[in-house]
Amino acid sequence: MTTRHLLDIDDLAPSELETILERAERYKRAQQQGEDHEDLSGQTLGMIFQKPSTRTRVSFETGMTQLGGHAVFLGADDIQLGRGEPLKDTARTLSRYVDAVMARVFKHENIEVLAEYSSVPIVNGLTDDAHPCQTLADLLTIREQQGGFEGVSAAWVGDGNNVAQSFAIGAALAGIDLTVSTPEGYEIDEEVINRVDDLGGNLTTTTDPVEAVADTDVVYTDVWTSMGQEDERDVRMDNFEGFQVNNDLIEHAPGASVMHCLPAHRGEEISDDIIESDRSIVFDQAENRLHAQKALLSWLLE
Ligand code: CP
Ligand code: NVA
């Protein structure tokens, strides 16, 4: 049997996405009602981190505990990877110990190398290009909040980064109409747009955030400077002017909920009052990382 990985969200077919979201809802209810759901008893997840994390680290570790399993934190500088041990050797070694590996790395090619050499499932916990686990939680949150995906529209405002790219593909998989607004030069990759097209997605791109959010159901943003881009911060602050999700922008989307994958930089991509407002569903999104990833892991490992 071939080993399944989640390197990006379109590694899942629409029906598989549906199965995982249903399972996530089931786990969420089970946890809320204190019901036993130890489906991964005795199983271990290795977690490689080349970049910092709050949500990804804690939700995966806690999720494994709740499923009756265990997670091992492997900071890149704490394992031999940080001293130059090749990724392919790391992948083959870890495969002999653990049942699955979640990895947060810089270059997307690196998660592909891990998958190529691993005999256990590899889960992308964020690369420079993609963040599929975030998308799973985003879709779970939108489905809960909007009562399904039928007729739902969403707008992305800001950088065409890893979170935006996986969300664009995920929206296509789920059947959400999406408008992505970015400053010129910060668009999502052409290759991602082609994948959205292949999935029959309804994606519009623009450089006008007002046009993007007009009458939409969901407005989603993320930081202007992602991890690893710190040197570009000053230039980005200038180039993203006008792309802040704030009251002025949200006036054009009177019924919209506001999403952010977190961590947020208040006063940059989002204003403090919007993130603290009733419109904000950012902490439901953060919570749903836990439920969605438990569902993903148990689906990958069954
Ligand atoms: N959204 C997200 O992945 O957060 P962390 O960087 O805290 O894991
Ligand atoms: N785009 C952000 C997401 C963090 C979860 C980053 O890569 O830093």
Side-chain angles (χ1 to χ4, degrees), residues 1-5 118-121 299-302:
M1 215 180 76
T2 50
T3 304
R4 293 291 302 265
H5 305 291
S118 172
S119 56
V120 300
W299 181 81
L300 283 171
L301 291 172
E302 73 190 359

Side-chain angles (χ1 to χ4, degrees), residues 52-57 104 131 134 227 261-263 289:
S53 168
T54 298
R55 279 143 289 271
T56 305
R57 176 178 177 177
R104 169 169 285 194
H131 199 1
Q134 183 65 52
M227 290 180 276
C261 59
L262 303 177
R289 295 290 304 275

Side-chain angles (χ1 to χ4, degrees), residues 19 23 32 65 104-105 108 131 162 172 176 212 215 219 225 282 298:
T19 301
R23 190 177 297 202
Q32 284 165 348
T65 304
R104 169 169 285 194
V105 295
H108 193 77
H131 199 1
N162 41 15
I176 295 170
D215 295 323
V219 175
T225 306
V282 302
S298 81

Side-chain angles (χ1 to χ4, degrees), residues 278-294:
D278 291 349
R279 304 286 205 94
S280 163
I281 53 171
V282 302
F283 294 107
D284 294 326
Q285 243 183 299
E287 175 184 335
N288 281 338
R289 295 290 304 275
L290 172 70
H291 310 301
Q293 289 159 193
K294 283 165 72 180

Side-chain angles (χ1 to χ4, degrees), residues 51-52 106 126 128 156-163 183 186 221-241 243 260-266 268-270:
K51 303 181 183 182
F106 285 93
L126 183 140
D128 290 345
W156 179 270
V157 178
D159 191 15
N161 62 15
N162 41 15
V163 174
Y186 295 94
T221 190
D222 182 21
V223 290
W224 292 340
T225 306
S226 285
M227 290 180 276
Q229 299 172 333
E230 287 79 6
D231 291 350
E232 300 172 29
R233 188 169 182 277
D234 291 346
V235 178
R236 284 173 170 267
M237 289 293 279
D238 288 342
N239 292 346
F240 281 85
E241 206 189 320
F243 280 80
H260 193 308
C261 59
L262 303 177
H265 288 186
R266 289 163 162 82
E268 293 183 20
E269 76 279 359
I270 194 161

Side-chain angles (χ1 to χ4, degrees), residues 35-168:
E35 286 165 11
D36 172 42
H37 53 288
E38 298 196 348
D39 296 345
L40 294 184
S41 167
Q43 305 222 41
T44 300
L45 174 72
M47 306 192 300
I48 299 174
F49 280 95
Q50 285 187 332
K51 303 181 183 182
S53 168
T54 298
R55 279 143 289 271
T56 305
R57 176 178 177 177
V58 179
S59 56
F60 268 107
E61 185 159 345
T62 310
M64 281 303 287
T65 304
Q66 291 174 0
L67 290 168
H70 179 65
V72 187
F73 175 76
L74 304 165
D77 291 335
D78 303 324
I79 57 175
Q80 299 290 5
L81 182 66
R83 293 180 56 247
E85 182 168 21
L87 270 168
K88 60 185 183 179
D89 292 359
T90 307
R92 286 175 289 190
T93 304
L94 290 179
S95 295
R96 304 289 179 112
Y97 302 134
V98 302
D99 300 283
V101 173
M102 188 282 301
R104 169 169 285 194
V105 295
F106 285 93
K107 288 194 173 78
H108 193 77
E109 297 90 85
N110 286 344
I111 200 106
E112 292 172 341
V113 171
L114 281 173
E116 186 183 342
Y117 286 92
S118 172
S119 56
V120 300
I122 298 290
V123 174
N124 180 353
L126 183 140
T127 63
D128 290 345
D129 296 344
H131 199 1
C133 292
Q134 183 65 52
T135 305
L136 271 184
D138 299 340
L139 293 176
L140 180 61
T141 309
I142 292 172
R143 199 159 94 141
E144 275 175 356
Q145 222 251 338
Q146 302 285 329
F149 297 129
E150 183 88 35
V152 173
S153 63
W156 179 270
V157 178
D159 191 15
N161 62 15
N162 41 15
V163 174
Q165 299 202 131
S166 290
F167 185 70

